[in-house]
Amino acid sequence: MRIRRLRTRIILFFVALLALVQIAALALVNLANLHNAHVKATDDLAVGERVFGRLVEQRAHELGQAARVLASDFAFREAVATGDAATINSALANHGSRIGAAGMLFVGPDGHVVGDTLTRSSVPRSFEYPALLESPPTRGSTIEWLGGRALQLVVAPVLSPLPIGWVVVGVPVDDGFARDLRQLTSLEVSFLLEDDAGRWRSLASTLPGTERQLLLDHMAKWPADAETDIVRAGGDDLQARMITLDRVGGGRVVAILDRSLANALASFEKLRATLITLAAASLLVSIGGSIAIAANITRPLSELAEAASRIEHGDYSEGGEVPRADEIGRLASSLNHMRAGISERETRILRLAYRDTLTDLANRSKFAEELAAAIDEAASSGTGVAILVMDLDRFKCVNDILGYSVGDHVLQEVGNQLLREAPDSACIARLGGDEFALLLRGAASMRAADTARAINKSLEQPILYRGQPLDVGASIGLARYPEHGHDASTLIRNADIAMYVAKRNRSGLAVYDPEYDSTQRQHLSLLSELRQAIDGKELRLHYQPKVSLSSGTVSAVEALLRWHHPQRGMVSPAEFIPFAEHTGYIKVLTRWVLEEAIRQCAEWLREGIRLQISVNISARDLMNRDLPEAISELLRLHGVAPALLCLEITESGFMEDPAHAQKVLDRLHALGLKLSIDDYGTGYSSLSYIMKLPVQELKIDRSFISRMVADSDISTIVRSTIDLGHSLGLNVVAEGVEDLESWNLLARLGCDDVQGYYMSPPLEASALKSWIRDYHGRAAAEPASGNEARRVS
Ligand code: C2E
Ligand code: CA
Ligand code: CA
């Protein structure tokens, strides 16, 4: 089992360590104590032995003294000398009883027992232990078996002056003697006799019966040279010491001094118990201590772990405060710094992820998220949500012509305007480019259209950049939940569709209508149908004549694309050209138009009609590096002079990428082609910029021409434009001339050429041929009114 908690591990480690140390110390102390106890017991026994020896010697000495007193007694010596056995015996008995001897003997010089109080037998016999008589024992006495009992024997010679006999005193070696010795030595005393056959018998002992027998049984096992040995006596072992006593008879007499080992070790056992108690107590204390230390370490750690896990779950609100100066305190403060750092970085990342850095408004993903949340809320509360998607109308021009920094300024200003006009609860976002969006919840969603109108109105005021007014209008699309969609992406898409409708209709605001979807779908099918158009020969070119105001002649035509759709009939270029530009398909269309126009030009040339053809070129076409090559190839192929081809390019066509456009225009010019600025006046091109371009013609947009008769301000603009064009050496053309008044006014203003329904609509090639014939024929017939309007009826 693995222990996972640090706290448990610390406690276990400390407790195990301490227990190990305690057990080792206890074992060592125990061992030393045991040794000491044994040594002390042995010492006690040795002391006992010495005391024992002294006591035995002392008794021998006392007995010897008593024997000598008797031996030197005059009456006794006389009785000995006279061989008076009766007197001897009575003296022996008297003396013996006085000194408490068990028996007194008198041995004659021949070794025969003369008097004997022990056996009291009158049968003559030799003394059993004659060796005693010849040399006295070393310790003054011996223990011998005499008269059926063990006796301590002492011998004293009777001198006259030579020895005439010996007095032998015997005191009993019995339990009483043993008890006396025990009293003085504090040891159990036993006397044992080993006979010649090696059998042991107990002479006397202080031990109780069972132990006495155990000792006897043990004697056979006593190691040969050992002074001491342990006698196993059940639980209460005996430590015993053997003292071999002097003996002259056969066999051996020993004294065994012993004491209970348990007694000897009793104080040690007490010490051991104390030690164990101490060890247990210190173990308990250490367990308590290690729990406290572990808690001290692990409590702040687990608080920190909790704090870290809060951080993991994105809660940066509070850190694990641990007010201490140690490593854990430092860890806590690092963790706190880390938390603050992560929180700050996350806020920054969230800001980057959810904010538009330029305007500081929400970005597209934030808007989508907010919208989804608002829809959820509205769904449960039964309220509504409205979104406005807004696109600036002329922002691209600002960006292209005046530069990105001005563009950025405009976007920021628009953002500020939105903040001013939108209700406080609205979420305002910049979706990208010049597209903005507003999210309106609850009551504010009901007034979404009013808000949109207020925004439109505020953007009618030009935005100022360093004092220069910039005119950027906006088109807004409105979509509502739940009417126009049930999820965020559908709502945004539908508001977007509505916004494009507003842009197309120049209405400023459009509320989404499911009808718009079909328009959208039509656009999709348009692309595939457009691809089909070229292969199916559904495309045609119509030509609109350009008439010279001064000479009244037709020397140029503008080629305009027509699409005869098999189902929809005639489709206006205004419907599919922007679409083709948007999808990039314009490249293919332009190539087809150029080919057809040049082919037609060549055909007319062959018929003797020399007409310059103007072809409209899109901004996208100018991005095509191969365009000059392709055109010169076509001209060469059909044998048409470059001067007969004029390319009409709108201002914005130059402005998309001015540097690149300039290069392509230079190359086209170098080929000998004519270049014309179409729809002049609707863009922002500055005079200084136009001066740099290799153009030869300026076409004033028909929105000016159609209003100039009625509006003197406009006619002033037209006049200055014509003058401007002339001052730059350009041919000035007015398009969209629909009536005589315009014709006359333009003639007065000195315009060079005119083009418009007043003269002729765009015509098929064959129709144009007859129109020109008629027109020139009439001009020839009415030379007087050369400057007047001529219309084909
Ligand atoms: P645009 O280049 O300004 O062409 C002149 C437009 O004015 C033509 O419309 C013409 O029919 C129309 N128009 C001529 N005289 C009058 C008049 O007196 N009054 C009015 N109201 N309109 C007049 P259209 O043919 O519908 O072409 C529209 C636009 O489509 C053109 O404007 C041009 O920008 C584009 N377009 C036409 N053909 C081509 C083409 O082959 N290639 C490219 N890139 N664009 C083309
Ligand atoms: Ca044109
Ligand atoms: Ca035009």
Side-chain angles (χ1 to χ4, degrees):
M1 185 194 73
R2 281 186 55 203
I3 298 155
R4 291 188 178 278
R5 293 193 56 192
L6 179 61
R7 193 184 133 131
T8 322
R9 290 217 302 260
I10 291 175
I11 294 172
L12 279 184
F13 173 75
F14 276 123
V15 170
L17 188 71
L18 203 90
L20 211 71
V21 171
Q22 297 271 26
I23 288 167
L26 208 61
L28 276 175
V29 171
N30 196 38
L31 217 65
N33 278 346
L34 199 63
H35 177 73
N36 282 346
H38 278 282
V39 167
K40 184 169 175 296
T42 315
D43 284 353
D44 284 355
L45 285 179
V47 170
E49 181 188 354
R50 275 199 299 281
V51 172
F52 175 87
R54 287 299 301 275
L55 287 173
V56 171
E57 265 173 42
Q58 198 180 325
R59 193 160 91 147
H61 181 72
E62 281 165 10
L63 288 176
Q65 196 80 20
R68 272 190 299 280
V69 169
L70 181 61
S72 57
D73 184 81
F74 183 74
F76 183 70
R77 272 199 305 193
E78 208 175 51
V80 168
T82 56
D84 180 356
T87 309
I88 290 171
N89 268 324
S90 88
L92 285 175
N94 284 341
H95 207 73
S97 67
R98 210 168 44 247
I99 61 171
M104 300 283 282
L105 267 74
F106 179 71
V107 180
D110 54 355
H112 279 86
V113 176
V114 179
D116 179 3
T117 62
L118 195 67
T119 56
R120 295 184 194 281
S121 106
S122 49
V123 182
R125 74 173 203 277
S126 302
F127 182 54
E128 285 87 343
Y129 304 102
L132 263 182
L133 308 176
E134 279 146 34
S135 61
T138 8
R139 278 187 246 169
S141 68
T142 65
I143 290 174
E144 307 296 346
W145 190 256
L146 198 63
R149 53 198 300 193
L151 297 172
Q152 182 180 11
L153 296 183
V154 174
V155 175
V158 180
L159 301 171
S160 176
L162 287 170
I164 51 169
W166 290 273
V167 173
V168 177
V169 182
V171 286
V173 175
D174 56 8
D175 289 356
F177 177 49
R179 272 196 298 277
D180 289 346
L181 287 170
R182 179 174 69 181
Q183 216 152 34
L184 294 163
T185 57
S186 306
L187 297 170
E188 302 291 343
V189 179
S190 304
F191 291 95
L192 302 171
L193 171 74
E194 185 188 25
D195 62 18
D196 291 334
R199 277 191 303 270
W200 287 92
R201 66 189 278 195
S202 178
L203 300 180
S205 181
T206 55
L207 290 173
T210 45
E211 290 186 4
R212 193 181 293 210
Q213 189 55 45
L214 277 170
L215 177 61
L216 209 55
D217 296 343
H218 183 79
M219 290 317 289
K221 294 178 266 175
W222 195 294
D225 311 321
E227 281 186 327
T228 57
D229 198 12
I230 305 284
V231 180
R232 302 283 162 210
D236 197 8
D237 293 350
L238 304 174
Q239 192 180 29
R241 190 176 184 91
M242 184 195 284
I243 302 159
T244 305
L245 299 170
D246 290 336
R247 181 81 210 278
V248 292
R252 178 159 76 120
V253 171
V254 297
I256 300 293
L257 304 182
D258 68 76
R259 59 180 294 178
S260 149
L261 202 56
N263 279 352
L265 298 181
S267 59
F268 159 74
E269 291 292 353
K270 238 165 78 189
L271 183 68
R272 185 156 70 176
T274 314
L275 272 177
I276 288 175
T277 316
L278 266 177
S282 68
L283 204 63
L284 277 179
V285 169
S286 77
I287 289 174
S290 48
I291 288 174
I293 290 175
N296 191 25
I297 295 172
T298 56
R299 197 184 316 108
L301 278 183
S302 51
E303 274 168 22
L304 290 180
E306 253 169 51
S309 113
R310 278 202 301 278
I311 292 172
E312 184 191 334
H313 293 103
D315 172 10
Y316 306 115
S317 54
E318 52 171 321
E321 261 332 312
V322 178
R324 42 201 275 179
D326 58 6
E327 290 84 344
I328 292 174
R330 287 212 298 280
L331 177 63
S333 85
S334 306
L335 193 73
N336 264 337
H337 285 138
M338 190 177 95
R339 174 187 59 78
I342 291 176
S343 149
E344 191 190 305
R345 275 195 295 281
E346 198 180 271
T347 319
R348 219 159 57 214
I349 288 167
L350 277 181
R351 228 188 140 63
L352 284 178
Y354 282 132
R355 288 268 126 192
D356 170 51
T357 41
L358 179 64
T359 58
D360 204 33
L361 298 174
N363 64 9
R364 182 180 280 273
S365 31
K366 177 70 178 168
F367 184 78
E369 223 170 72
E370 290 271 318
L371 176 56
I375 289 173
D376 281 351
E377 200 192 299
S380 55
S381 64
T383 56
V385 174
I387 62 165
L388 302 176
V389 168
M390 175 183 116
D391 192 90
L392 301 183
D393 287 340
R394 285 171 289 275
F395 176 72
K396 207 172 146 20
C397 300
V398 173
N399 225 6
D400 291 345
I401 299 158
L402 303 173
Y404 287 112
S405 58
V406 184
D408 285 354
H409 173 80
V410 168
L411 290 176
Q412 280 164 343
E413 274 308 306
V414 170
N416 291 339
Q417 296 272 42
L418 290 179
L419 285 170
R420 270 194 291 277
E421 298 300 334
D424 290 344
S425 63
C427 168
I428 307 172
R430 179 174 162 231
L431 301 184
D434 57 350
E435 206 171 84
F436 292 81
L438 274 84
L439 166 61
L440 302 163
R441 285 168 265 230
S445 73
M446 318 288 275
R447 296 189 301 273
D450 293 340
T451 306
R453 276 188 282 270
I455 291 168
N456 273 332
K457 201 166 167 52
S458 80
L459 288 177
E460 272 169 21
Q461 297 294 319
I463 288 169
L464 290 180
Y465 179 74
R466 294 191 181 154
Q468 182 184 345
L470 301 169
D471 187 18
V472 284
S475 299
I476 300 178
L478 193 167
R480 292 177 189 282
Y481 169 86
E483 300 94 304
H484 303 145
H486 286 91
D487 59 84
S489 60
T490 310
L491 272 187
I492 294 176
R493 200 199 64 212
N494 289 347
D496 215 44
I497 290 172
M499 184 272 287
Y500 275 110
V501 171
K503 210 176 246 301
R504 228 180 9 251
N505 301 345
R506 294 172 203 252
S507 58
L509 170 68
V511 180
Y512 173 76
D513 188 318
E515 280 281 294
Y516 300 159
D517 263 351
S518 60
T519 322
Q520 192 85 356
R521 272 197 294 279
Q522 278 171 18
H523 271 167
L524 269 182
S525 62
L526 200 62
L527 181 63
S528 61
E529 286 167 358
L530 206 51
R531 290 203 174 105
Q532 177 60 35
I534 292 179
D535 301 338
K537 304 206 189 312
E538 293 162 18
L539 296 180
R540 292 282 155 71
L541 281 186
H542 282 194
Y543 302 92
Q544 189 176 34
K546 229 162 38 172
V547 181
S548 161
L549 272 178
S550 53
S551 66
T553 53
V554 178
S555 57
V557 290
E558 178 178 2
L560 293 158
L561 192 53
R562 294 293 176 263
W563 182 9
H564 292 270
H565 192 280
Q567 282 92 43
R568 291 197 236 166
M570 186 71 86
V571 182
S572 156
E575 256 178 79
F576 65 87
I577 293 287
F579 181 73
E581 284 174 339
H582 192 69
T583 55
Y585 197 69
I586 190 69
K587 202 177 147 184
V588 182
L589 285 185
T590 301
R591 163 123 201 141
W592 184 89
V593 171
L594 281 167
E595 204 170 335
E596 176 61 15
I598 292 168
R599 189 200 59 76
Q600 184 61 60
C601 188
E603 192 181 317
W604 280 331
L605 279 176
R606 281 194 295 278
E607 293 171 13
I609 306 167
R610 191 181 168 85
L611 281 174
Q612 187 195 64
I613 298 190
S614 289
V615 169
N616 292 285
I617 297 287
S618 287
R620 270 282 179 112
D621 294 319
L622 284 186
M623 294 294 118
N624 178 9
R625 292 169 188 280
D626 304 333
L627 187 70
E629 288 294 292
I631 291 176
S632 73
E633 180 65 27
L634 283 172
L635 290 172
R636 210 176 41 76
L637 197 72
H638 293 281
V640 174
L644 283 182
L645 185 63
C646 174
L647 302 183
E648 292 188 6
I649 305 149
T650 57
E651 279 175 80
S652 58
F654 302 127
M655 297 310 171
E656 197 108 310
D657 182 350
H660 186 80
Q662 175 99 42
K663 268 188 218 153
V664 176
L665 290 179
D666 283 343
R667 279 171 65 199
L668 292 171
H669 176 67
L671 285 177
L673 301 179
K674 294 269 165 315
L675 297 175
S676 167
I677 297 181
D678 204 353
D679 301 345
Y680 185 78
T682 55
Y684 281 82
S685 18
S686 67
L687 180 62
S688 60
Y689 182 69
I690 286 178
M691 274 164 63
K692 284 194 230 157
L693 297 173
V695 293
Q696 291 81 43
E697 186 182 87
L698 206 61
K699 281 183 99 171
I700 304 173
D701 190 67
R702 66 173 181 271
S703 59
F704 294 96
I705 304 303
S706 63
R707 288 184 287 161
M708 72 176 176
V709 173
D711 190 333
S712 63
D713 285 351
I714 306 261
S715 66
T716 309
I717 294 175
V718 172
R719 179 205 297 272
S720 56
T721 306
I722 292 168
D723 293 347
L724 168 77
H726 285 162
S727 70
L728 290 174
L730 302 178
N731 189 52
V732 180
V733 182
E735 61 176 8
V737 179
E738 294 184 351
D739 47 40
L740 179 62
E741 288 86 350
S742 304
W743 169 290
N744 286 335
L745 181 53
L746 288 166
R748 272 207 306 282
L749 296 178
C751 189
D752 300 301
D753 295 324
V754 283
Q755 187 185 336
Y757 292 168
Y758 180 60
M759 287 70 72
S760 165
L763 297 170
E764 290 210 22
S766 53
L768 180 87
K769 216 162 79 181
S770 37
W771 181 88
I772 290 176
R773 211 182 311 114
D774 281 6
Y775 184 82
H776 282 156
R778 251 185 293 165
E782 305 165 35
S785 54
N787 270 359
E788 258 192 21
R790 289 132 228 253
R791 279 202 72 179
V792 177
S793 42

